[in-house]
Each structure stands twice: as structure tokens, then as C-alpha cells.
Amino acid sequence: VEVTLYEMRKQDRGTPAHKTDKLAELVCSNSFRNDDPTSAIGLLHAEMRKLNSLIMQCADETKVPAGSALAMDRELFADLVSSKIQDHPNINLIRDEISEIPTEGAWIFATGPLTSDSLSKKIIEITGEDKMAFFDAIAPIVHKESIDFNIAWFQSRYDKVGPGGDGKDYINCPLNKEQYYQFIDALLAGEKTEFKEWEKNTPYFNGCLPIEVMAERGRETLRFGPMKPVGLTNPHDPENKPYAVIQLRQDNMLGTLYNMVGFQTKLKYGAQKEVFSTIPGLENADFVRLGGLHRNTFINSPNLLDDSLRLKAQPNIRFAGQITGVEGYVESAAIGLLAGIFASHDLNDKQIQNPSPETAIGSLLVHLTGGAEASTFQPMNINFGLIPPLTDRVKSKKDRYKIYSDRALGKIDEWIKEL
């Protein structure tokens, strides 16, 4: 199928979050999360690999050590995706904005979390929806050589070894009880980005909350979230367990840059440097990128889309990616993968069955196209709660997830044979 791909971003036109015009620029984290197929996200990885996902191919080719997670060198990843798309004989890439909803032809809108204002208005006009935006926050990145390893150390939680890793894939910065509460006080007092009037009632996605918003929910919240100290032993002081720990994950292939895991923030730049420099080991940190905040856009898919991602009010339009109400890079790419498969079959007048809801990718599709409650619909990561439960009760969570995974991968193999 010959495709014309429109990309709004170019050298003189960006977004509030993107820094380049590369395709598949990783804006927030550089991680696709857990790669173990007995986790829900790892299962989605495995299914997408079986379906020859371009995004998973490029991720595997540019991965960096990250414990049990699949993380990439963000520059190499974007370069590789960009080159494969630009060099494809059936893809014509045009650097231009689409601001209207075409009434003819087969279209897929995968405009993501930063859909332009003009196109957002057109989508609202055609769908009748009036609530489409929430915020995502971006975590800071630190230069490794500026970290004090007389205080920090390398270790993955429970020394777990992941793809390309050795069980020592994270840099850990420990805080004792006094340091932790001082950090919380500074975090809460730090100057934050002010919202515009029209932004003030926009909800956050719980999976990507700014750390200061989490801290406002309770002084212990961070200690049981991104700063939890479990599974870690400080070799500089093995007798005393840290009260809290900040982890940094490798962000590029060279291993020179590390991002602060779970430290999305809406603190102003000056406040970030001041507050984060109080963290033991980061007193002299060189922040190569500070955190930020950007708008995210999604539609009420359960109301608007049919079971092959077509807009009910205008079936020549499909939606894909994060704008459909999935959350996360991999989930977004998975819905794009399905939209492409569905569209190509339509264009070749071929019938196709949907993937089984017992698969990760099929369960996401069901969630978007009717499985979720439309009145309370919010963005969702893949999780085993979206997949139909087992008929037999299995007490062990580990055994249960293994059965889910084996069942799903068998169903994907069956679907591939049908395709």
C-alpha cells in the first residue's frame, strides 16, 4: 500500500516538548518498561515483535542496559526509525500540517499527545467531544560524570538482570530520614510552572504525575513510589538501609547520560536545579535537560470508534496511537500497528478478524472500542486487568501471569496464520 505520511514538525516548526524534527523522538522517558513477557508490557513487546513491529525492531537494535527494562539510546532510536521510514519505497514523507478532516480517502490520524490546536478544534467539531487534554511531565537528564560515586552506586533492584544488563544498571542516590523530609519540604516550596486559565482544570494521568503533585498527596507518598528503597543495599554503608532512594537510568548508548526515574516535574528550571542539587550524590550534577510539562490530547474512543478504530461518524478516518487514549510509547505504537493492519486489509478488500481479547494487543483494542466506561474514560497502560481472567484459579501471581502470557502468545500465533 502506498502511503503519504504527513509530519507537522520540521526545522522551523516544533512543539512545546519536542527538540528535533526526527520521527519517533522519545520525549519523556527512554524506556519501554519491563521486557519480561510475564509482565503485561513485556507481553505486548513480545506480541509486537511477532507482528514485525518497526518500533520494536528499532528499539531492540538501539537498546542500552536498564535492568529488566527495555531502554534505548534516544538519538540512535529516532535516527533509525526516521531513516527506515524516509527510505521506504512506499512511503512519501511530507513535512506539513494537516488542519482539516478529509471526507474522502483512507486516513489514519496518529497525531499523538501534542495535536495542533487547529486540528484539535476540527476533531472536536466532528466528534462533539469537548474534553480532550491533560498534562504529561518530563523527567530531568544528568551527565554521568557529574555524579558523586563516593555516595551513589550502581545496582538494579534485587540485582535483577534484564536485556543487555548485568544487574547493576541503575545509579542509586540514598537519602536518610532527615534528608528525605528536607527534600520533601524543598520540593513543596519550590516555584512551579503556572497554568494558563484554560489549563487549570485539566487532569493529570496518574501514571505520569509530577513528583511535587505526588508529594502534595502525603509526605510518605514518594517513599512508596519512585523513591522506594526496597531491593537495594548501599555498599558505602551496608549496615544502614536508606530511608529513600532516587534512581537514575541510562539514557544513551554511550552511557554518558542518565535520567531521573519517575521524576517528572513542573518545577521551574531554577527551582529544579536548587532542589535536585540537595540530593546526595547530585550536589554538583550537570543537568543536560531539565524537566518540563506538556499538554496531552486524547479522544473518548469508546464513544467514537468502531472495533477497527474507525471514526463512527466518518469511517474513512481511523485514529491511532496515544490520541486514542492509550498511555505509553509501546501501547501507542501497538494501536498504530493495528490501525495499519486494518487499513491495509480494507484497501485490499480483505476481511480480517480482530486479535483475541486474550492477547495484550487485543485487550487494548477492546478497552478502547467499548471495553472501557465512556463516561469515566481515561488513558490506560496495558495491564493484566484488561485481559479476560483464567477459568481456573491460580493462587501464585507469578504462575498466573505466566499462563496469561503463554495463552496470549499462542493466540497471536493463530492470528498471524489467519493474516
Side-chain angles (χ1 to χ4, degrees):
V1 176
E2 292 184 354
V3 173
T4 300
L5 175 62
Y6 290 89
E7 168 56 58
M8 179 185 76
R9 291 182 297 117
K10 47 190 174 183
Q11 285 186 339
D12 61 345
R13 172 83 187 262
T15 74
H18 292 89
K19 303 301 181 186
T20 75
D21 63 354
K22 295 175 183 178
L23 307 178
E25 178 185 341
L26 299 175
V27 169
C28 189
S29 168
N30 70 319
S31 173
F32 279 0
R33 306 173 354 249
N34 197 339
D35 199 46
D36 184 342
T38 61
S39 69
I41 186 62
L43 174 59
L44 189 57
H45 291 179
E47 294 176 5
M48 292 171 68
R49 288 186 178 110
K50 284 178 174 286
L51 289 162
N52 295 323
S53 160
L54 169 69
I55 297 303
M56 290 306 301
Q57 290 171 17
C58 293
D60 288 334
E61 288 184 41
T62 59
K63 66 185 177 185
V64 297
S68 58
L70 173 61
M72 297 76 65
D73 181 308
R74 66 177 73 226
E75 295 291 331
L76 294 182
F77 175 77
D79 285 341
L80 187 57
V81 174
S82 297
S83 65
K84 286 182 178 292
I85 287 177
Q86 289 165 353
D87 296 342
H88 198 289
N90 273 12
I91 300 176
N92 178 28
L93 177 61
I94 296 177
R95 298 279 182 172
D96 200 4
E97 180 181 357
I98 294 292
S99 56
E100 298 287 339
I101 306 290
T103 57
E104 296 182 356
W107 290 78
I108 298 174
F109 281 82
T111 47
L114 294 168
T115 302
S116 68
D117 289 342
S118 57
L119 185 56
S120 294
K121 290 175 183 176
K122 292 296 181 181
I123 293 172
I124 290 171
E125 285 178 14
I126 196 171
T127 61
E129 299 295 315
D130 61 357
K131 293 181 180 177
M132 291 178 59
F134 66 95
F135 288 103
D136 256 350
I138 302 171
I141 295 177
V142 176
H143 204 289
K144 177 189 171 187
E145 68 178 17
S146 68
I147 299 171
D148 185 354
F149 284 97
N150 292 314
I151 297 173
W153 76 96
F154 279 97
Q155 186 187 5
S156 301
R157 281 190 208 285
Y158 304 106
D159 303 308
K160 191 169 184 180
V161 178
D166 60 4
K168 298 179 179 180
D169 300 329
Y170 291 80
I171 296 172
N172 301 277
C173 297
L175 292 85
N176 60 32
K177 188 173 184 178
E178 181 182 2
Q179 290 167 332
Y180 172 76
Y181 288 120
Q182 287 175 348
F183 175 78
I184 294 297
D185 289 339
L187 190 63
L188 294 174
E191 192 176 6
K192 280 78 171 182
T193 303
E194 290 294 327
F195 292 144
K196 297 176 183 177
E197 191 61 37
W198 59 269
E199 297 173 329
K200 289 184 177 178
N201 294 321
T202 305
Y204 291 107
F205 169 59
N206 275 329
C208 205
L209 282 175
I211 53 168
E212 59 275 7
V213 173
M214 285 190 272
E216 288 168 358
R217 295 182 174 183
R219 293 172 66 80
E220 301 296 317
T221 303
L222 287 175
R223 237 176 41 85
F224 291 91
M227 294 178 69
K228 59 181 179 286
V230 298
L232 299 167
T233 300
N234 184 355
H236 305 301
D237 189 8
E239 298 302 316
N240 294 306
K241 286 286 185 183
Y243 194 71
V245 169
I246 290 165
Q247 288 196 309
L248 296 96
R249 177 176 53 224
Q250 187 172 330
D251 201 78
N252 65 342
M253 191 75 80
L254 292 174
T256 56
L257 303 179
Y258 277 72
N259 63 64
M260 298 173 68
V261 178
F263 261 56
Q264 300 86 3
T265 180
K266 62 186 180 77
L267 287 174
K268 288 190 173 181
Y269 285 171
Q272 287 184 50
K273 288 184 177 180
E274 184 177 339
V275 174
F276 296 153
S277 294
T278 67
I279 296 167
L282 300 184
E283 291 91 343
N284 298 304
D286 176 15
F287 292 95
V288 297
R289 187 189 76 183
L290 289 163
L293 193 68
H294 61 275
R295 190 191 69 182
N296 208 335
T297 304
F298 68 101
I299 62 173
N300 194 309
S301 291
N303 266 339
L304 301 176
L305 303 183
D306 71 11
D307 66 357
S308 68
L309 301 169
R310 290 178 299 197
L311 190 61
K312 294 174 184 176
Q314 197 171 313
N316 71 309
I317 303 293
R318 277 187 167 86
F319 281 89
Q322 195 165 343
I323 195 171
T324 62
V326 290
E327 179 61 26
Y329 295 136
V330 180
E331 291 89 336
S332 300
I335 298 304
L337 184 58
L338 285 179
I341 291 172
F342 292 151
S344 66
H345 280 74
D346 281 353
L347 292 167
N348 285 290
D349 296 321
K350 292 183 179 179
Q351 299 296 314
I352 179 176
Q353 296 293 319
N354 286 357
S356 168
E358 294 181 345
T359 64
I361 200 168
S363 72
L364 272 178
L365 178 65
V366 170
H367 177 75
L368 292 179
T369 59
E373 174 57 51
S375 63
T376 57
F377 182 65
Q378 284 290 313
M380 178 69 74
N381 290 118
I382 183 62
N383 61 82
F384 283 120
L386 300 181
I387 298 176
L390 305 175
T391 53
D392 297 325
R393 189 168 181 268
V394 180
K395 290 185 178 180
S396 165
K397 182 186 291 186
K398 183 177 179 181
D399 291 342
R400 187 163 67 249
Y401 289 171
K402 177 69 165 57
I403 295 171
Y404 273 127
S405 178
D406 290 343
R407 181 180 69 175
L409 294 176
K411 295 288 186 180
I412 277 291
D413 286 338
E414 292 174 10
W415 193 54
I416 290 171
K417 288 179 182 178
E418 291 177 11
L419 295 180

